[in-house]
Amino acid sequence: MAIPKAPEEEQQQVNEFKKSLESSTLEGFPDEVRKKKDIFIRLTDNVVKVLVQFLQANVWNMDAAKKQLLDTIQWRKELDVDHVPVATKYNKLPIIVACRGYKYVEDGNFDAKPELSESVIRIINSTGGDCFHKFDKEGHPILIDRTGYHNSKQMGSQVTRDEILNYHIAANEFLNRVIMPEGCERAGKPIHSETVIFDCTNMGLHQFHMNAFYLLKAVADVVQRYYPETLHRLFIVNAPGVFVTMFRVIKAWLNPRTLEKIHVLGSDYKDILLEHIDAESLPDFLGGSCKCEHMGGCVPEIANVSTEMFTVTNDNEKVPTVYNSQIMERAKTDDRLCKLNKVLLLRQQQESQQGQDQLTELEQLTDQEPPVEENPLRQCISNTETRDNKTLTQEEWKQCLHEGEDPSFYLSIVLVTRMDDYAGNQHHRFQNFIDSAYLLAEHSQQKIELLIIEWNPPANKRRVLDAFRFRRSKHLTYRIITVSPKIHSILPNLGNAPLHEFEGKNVGIRFARGEYIVCTNQDDIWSHNFINAIQSKVFEKDTIYVQYQSRHDIHDNLPPSIVKLEPFPDDETLYNACKLREQDWGNYQLPGPSTVTAEDYWYYGDQAGDFTMAHRDTWKELRGYRETGGVAWVDIEFILTAVGTFGKRLVYSGDTFTCHQEHPNEWEKTPERHTAKTNVADILNNKTYLVNEEGKWALYNIDIWQEGLECVEFGGGLCL
């Protein structure tokens, strides 16, 4: 039996373990694993429990613990385990294990939903039924398994090794990412293990099937190797004499520490269970008082002969993963399908090491409703469905607007529009813009979000969603945020303008999910230069990017950066309309930073309204564009403020990133709507501070739910 460590001795050994990991070069490991190790070490600065798990599993042998931990990191990288989807109450994925009494996942039973694979339904049909059911007295989640009803013959003959391993990996990830955080909160200390009850009622020799045992051994190997010390106690109740025969086989697979935690009980087990589990958390058929009447019982019976099996349909893909291929693919780029929000993780970190003062502040954050997360299943929407006929719940609305703790996309494209036929032929110019975003995503192969801010939609006109074609790409997601006429009427307004371009772009900046955000206009299409730059991922934080583009007052003998496209061009025509030059694909190079002066600022900022790009953190540090209620000038002022007030780098690309679709210059006809120019030298010399007040930009100071801000998100295409 392992000798317990005193707290100070344990902490000293954990610190030594961490230093040993930091100094490890991981010779022979792939670069991705080396990087993963560095991320893991930074994470575990406050999550000491993870290091303790590996040390305990190896009886505090540091070399063995280090090898197991690094092997686990490599295994998780090779199998992409971090992107295994897990169900939460926010992302609405179907659960794969029944649940009762948890904060971050709704009570429910397994059901053969279309999002699940055919293989997971086969697995569930051969099990006796199990359920994550509340917590024990120490805060450990409880898993109850009706082991006596398992159909071992069916499991052994109809389930493959890969399928059963994928199922148990997914179940372990669900336990660790969704249920364990609440255990830590309840216990006020790190919790990393579960209490398990195997109910052997109905067990017999008919369950002794060697192929099923081989599958069980494979699962035990993975759990002990890559999920060490996640078992707190295992109670085996109602164990008949035949169990002794089976246990002789199983016992040889388990390490000594696991065996120490197993308690084999006959029928006289109730008092022992109640020593560790409150009666209200223990099902009545195990001696407690819980009945879970709202769910038809505490633990479902599945493979019982009297129970109807789950039926596979054509919607359930024949893949070895738990969820279908669409969900698995999307989880690679959308963390909301893979974990809870970071506030919960931070709570665990603070509880484990930083004391009650920080915890009190953290409780104020987490007592609020956690950031809601997007429904991953909503991938297409009918173009004939108007937003006026669609009502979101407040939770769905928050899901749609939530920008995420971390970027979900490499790029968010933000523009502001209104269906008022601005400058004539708006429909075909805007459709070209949307199609060009599709081509940008397809050719760059980077994850991109097109975020359209529909401002003050006119009455008796179609909405953007209703008027345009949105093509489907696995690299592109669409969101439309509509700013209501009511919100428009609240804001300052120079010259009674029907659309506020910069206030609208700020709304996009606030809610964008991209690592980088480019603010542009509906008249632009993307050049090969920009497609290559996105493909090459050349952009950096703390830098403002602008471009060369010819002036828009040229309407004859158009230069290369001004294009006049006929309506409805095909993909090849549209793609090559802004080709400009040949590309060395994947190796795009930007020029160095430019020095801006009061004499040449116009050279750098003249076309900033059609292209200004920065990292999401940079945009928010500067609080977006100054909100004046007017048009013109503010885009140039933003560049000057970024350089003069905040000391950001300005990179001016002589290569055109967007080509402008030719149209009449309407904005020049309404000078009463123009923002007054400010002193350029004063801005560059940091004598003038032209920044929005904290909390008073991007509608932060407005109750946007009450005032009718709308949001819809979709993946393109038509639902038939």
Side-chain angles (χ1 to χ4, degrees), residues 192 215 253 296 316 337 384 428 484 517-518 560 590 647:
H192 57 75
L215 295 179
W253 309 337
N316 304 116
L337 303 190
T384 60
H428 89 252
S484 66
I517 302 170
V518 59
L590 284 166

PDB file of all heavy atoms in Angstrom, residues 192 215 253 296 316 337 384 428 484 517-518 560 590 647:
ATOM      1  N   HIS A 192     -10.742  14.751  -8.370  1.00  0.00           N
ATOM      2  CA  HIS A 192     -10.354  14.196  -9.663  1.00  0.00           C
ATOM      3  C   HIS A 192     -10.732  12.725  -9.807  1.00  0.00           C
ATOM      4  O   HIS A 192     -10.263  12.044 -10.720  1.00  0.00           O
ATOM      5  CB  HIS A 192      -8.853  14.364  -9.900  1.00  0.00           C
ATOM      6  CG  HIS A 192      -7.980  13.738  -8.840  1.00  0.00           C
ATOM      7  ND1 HIS A 192      -7.778  12.386  -8.744  1.00  0.00           N
ATOM      8  CD2 HIS A 192      -7.270  14.305  -7.835  1.00  0.00           C
ATOM      9  CE1 HIS A 192      -6.976  12.132  -7.723  1.00  0.00           C
ATOM     10  NE2 HIS A 192      -6.657  13.274  -7.158  1.00  0.00           N
ATOM     11  N   LEU A 215     -12.329  -6.992 -24.440  1.00  0.00           N
ATOM     12  CA  LEU A 215     -12.696  -5.577 -24.588  1.00  0.00           C
ATOM     13  C   LEU A 215     -12.577  -4.846 -23.260  1.00  0.00           C
ATOM     14  O   LEU A 215     -12.083  -3.710 -23.188  1.00  0.00           O
ATOM     15  CB  LEU A 215     -14.127  -5.444 -25.124  1.00  0.00           C
ATOM     16  CG  LEU A 215     -14.390  -5.978 -26.542  1.00  0.00           C
ATOM     17  CD1 LEU A 215     -15.869  -5.793 -26.890  1.00  0.00           C
ATOM     18  CD2 LEU A 215     -13.524  -5.278 -27.565  1.00  0.00           C
ATOM     19  N   TRP A 253      -5.533  -7.804 -14.292  1.00  0.00           N
ATOM     20  CA  TRP A 253      -5.320  -6.641 -15.154  1.00  0.00           C
ATOM     21  C   TRP A 253      -5.098  -5.351 -14.365  1.00  0.00           C
ATOM     22  O   TRP A 253      -4.676  -4.348 -14.943  1.00  0.00           O
ATOM     23  CB  TRP A 253      -6.542  -6.399 -16.042  1.00  0.00           C
ATOM     24  CG  TRP A 253      -7.012  -7.598 -16.800  1.00  0.00           C
ATOM     25  CD1 TRP A 253      -6.295  -8.705 -17.147  1.00  0.00           C
ATOM     26  CD2 TRP A 253      -8.340  -7.794 -17.288  1.00  0.00           C
ATOM     27  NE1 TRP A 253      -7.081  -9.579 -17.831  1.00  0.00           N
ATOM     28  CE2 TRP A 253      -8.355  -9.052 -17.942  1.00  0.00           C
ATOM     29  CE3 TRP A 253      -9.506  -7.035 -17.261  1.00  0.00           C
ATOM     30  CZ2 TRP A 253      -9.489  -9.562 -18.543  1.00  0.00           C
ATOM     31  CZ3 TRP A 253     -10.633  -7.545 -17.864  1.00  0.00           C
ATOM     32  CH2 TRP A 253     -10.626  -8.800 -18.498  1.00  0.00           C
ATOM     33  N   GLY A 296     -38.298   8.734 -14.335  1.00  0.00           N
ATOM     34  CA  GLY A 296     -38.752   7.357 -14.398  1.00  0.00           C
ATOM     35  C   GLY A 296     -37.844   6.399 -13.670  1.00  0.00           C
ATOM     36  O   GLY A 296     -37.870   5.188 -13.926  1.00  0.00           O
ATOM     37  N   ASN A 316     -27.986   7.675 -38.099  1.00  0.00           N
ATOM     38  CA  ASN A 316     -26.863   7.279 -37.236  1.00  0.00           C
ATOM     39  C   ASN A 316     -25.754   6.692 -38.099  1.00  0.00           C
ATOM     40  O   ASN A 316     -25.837   5.565 -38.574  1.00  0.00           O
ATOM     41  CB  ASN A 316     -27.329   6.265 -36.194  1.00  0.00           C
ATOM     42  CG  ASN A 316     -28.486   6.784 -35.357  1.00  0.00           C
ATOM     43  OD1 ASN A 316     -29.588   6.241 -35.389  1.00  0.00           O
ATOM     44  ND2 ASN A 316     -28.256   7.855 -34.620  1.00  0.00           N
ATOM     45  N   LEU A 337     -17.938  22.872 -28.067  1.00  0.00           N
ATOM     46  CA  LEU A 337     -18.392  21.488 -28.128  1.00  0.00           C
ATOM     47  C   LEU A 337     -17.541  20.575 -27.264  1.00  0.00           C
ATOM     48  O   LEU A 337     -17.874  19.405 -27.089  1.00  0.00           O
ATOM     49  CB  LEU A 337     -18.350  20.971 -29.571  1.00  0.00           C
ATOM     50  CG  LEU A 337     -19.136  21.744 -30.616  1.00  0.00           C
ATOM     51  CD1 LEU A 337     -19.187  20.958 -31.920  1.00  0.00           C
ATOM     52  CD2 LEU A 337     -20.530  22.065 -30.143  1.00  0.00           C
ATOM     53  N   THR A 384     -35.726  30.929 -47.140  1.00  0.00           N
ATOM     54  CA  THR A 384     -37.080  31.456 -47.252  1.00  0.00           C
ATOM     55  C   THR A 384     -37.700  31.724 -45.888  1.00  0.00           C
ATOM     56  O   THR A 384     -38.852  32.097 -45.788  1.00  0.00           O
ATOM     57  CB  THR A 384     -37.982  30.468 -48.020  1.00  0.00           C
ATOM     58  OG1 THR A 384     -38.010  29.234 -47.301  1.00  0.00           O
ATOM     59  CG2 THR A 384     -37.448  30.218 -49.409  1.00  0.00           C
ATOM     60  N   HIS A 428     -26.582  42.904 -56.247  1.00  0.00           N
ATOM     61  CA  HIS A 428     -25.575  42.069 -56.900  1.00  0.00           C
ATOM     62  C   HIS A 428     -24.178  42.365 -56.365  1.00  0.00           C
ATOM     63  O   HIS A 428     -23.327  41.481 -56.301  1.00  0.00           O
ATOM     64  CB  HIS A 428     -25.667  42.189 -58.435  1.00  0.00           C
ATOM     65  CG  HIS A 428     -24.868  43.280 -59.069  1.00  0.00           C
ATOM     66  ND1 HIS A 428     -25.452  44.403 -59.600  1.00  0.00           N
ATOM     67  CD2 HIS A 428     -23.530  43.398 -59.286  1.00  0.00           C
ATOM     68  CE1 HIS A 428     -24.513  45.168 -60.121  1.00  0.00           C
ATOM     69  NE2 HIS A 428     -23.343  44.600 -59.937  1.00  0.00           N
ATOM     70  N   SER A 484     -31.774  46.900 -34.092  1.00  0.00           N
ATOM     71  CA  SER A 484     -33.173  47.288 -34.318  1.00  0.00           C
ATOM     72  C   SER A 484     -33.318  48.794 -34.525  1.00  0.00           C
ATOM     73  O   SER A 484     -32.476  49.588 -34.075  1.00  0.00           O
ATOM     74  CB  SER A 484     -34.013  46.866 -33.114  1.00  0.00           C
ATOM     75  OG  SER A 484     -33.619  47.621 -31.966  1.00  0.00           O
ATOM     76  N   ILE A 517      -9.702  40.245 -36.723  1.00  0.00           N
ATOM     77  CA  ILE A 517     -10.953  40.838 -37.175  1.00  0.00           C
ATOM     78  C   ILE A 517     -10.620  41.862 -38.243  1.00  0.00           C
ATOM     79  O   ILE A 517      -9.800  42.760 -38.014  1.00  0.00           O
ATOM     80  CB  ILE A 517     -11.704  41.518 -36.016  1.00  0.00           C
ATOM     81  CG1 ILE A 517     -11.995  40.523 -34.890  1.00  0.00           C
ATOM     82  CG2 ILE A 517     -12.986  42.173 -36.512  1.00  0.00           C
ATOM     83  CD1 ILE A 517     -12.512  41.176 -33.616  1.00  0.00           C
ATOM     84  N   VAL A 518     -11.240  41.731 -39.404  1.00  0.00           N
ATOM     85  CA  VAL A 518     -11.078  42.721 -40.466  1.00  0.00           C
ATOM     86  C   VAL A 518     -12.409  43.423 -40.662  1.00  0.00           C
ATOM     87  O   VAL A 518     -13.456  42.780 -40.809  1.00  0.00           O
ATOM     88  CB  VAL A 518     -10.571  42.087 -41.783  1.00  0.00           C
ATOM     89  CG1 VAL A 518     -11.514  41.010 -42.295  1.00  0.00           C
ATOM     90  CG2 VAL A 518     -10.335  43.163 -42.833  1.00  0.00           C
ATOM     91  N   PRO A 560      -6.636  48.540 -61.580  1.00  0.00           N
ATOM     92  CA  PRO A 560      -6.843  47.130 -61.210  1.00  0.00           C
ATOM     93  C   PRO A 560      -7.597  46.922 -59.894  1.00  0.00           C
ATOM     94  O   PRO A 560      -8.268  45.900 -59.730  1.00  0.00           O
ATOM     95  CB  PRO A 560      -5.409  46.579 -61.125  1.00  0.00           C
ATOM     96  CG  PRO A 560      -4.620  47.468 -62.026  1.00  0.00           C
ATOM     97  CD  PRO A 560      -5.229  48.829 -61.896  1.00  0.00           C
ATOM     98  N   LEU A 590       4.667  40.081 -45.637  1.00  0.00           N
ATOM     99  CA  LEU A 590       4.228  41.457 -45.428  1.00  0.00           C
ATOM    100  C   LEU A 590       5.430  42.385 -45.323  1.00  0.00           C
ATOM    101  O   LEU A 590       6.514  41.958 -44.907  1.00  0.00           O
ATOM    102  CB  LEU A 590       3.412  41.556 -44.140  1.00  0.00           C
ATOM    103  CG  LEU A 590       1.982  41.034 -44.177  1.00  0.00           C
ATOM    104  CD1 LEU A 590       1.445  40.895 -42.761  1.00  0.00           C
ATOM    105  CD2 LEU A 590       1.079  41.974 -44.984  1.00  0.00           C
ATOM    106  N   GLY A 647       0.670  53.364 -29.343  1.00  0.00           N
ATOM    107  CA  GLY A 647       1.982  52.884 -29.763  1.00  0.00           C
ATOM    108  C   GLY A 647       1.951  51.591 -30.559  1.00  0.00           C
ATOM    109  O   GLY A 647       2.920  50.831 -30.539  1.00  0.00           O
TER     110      GLY A 647
END
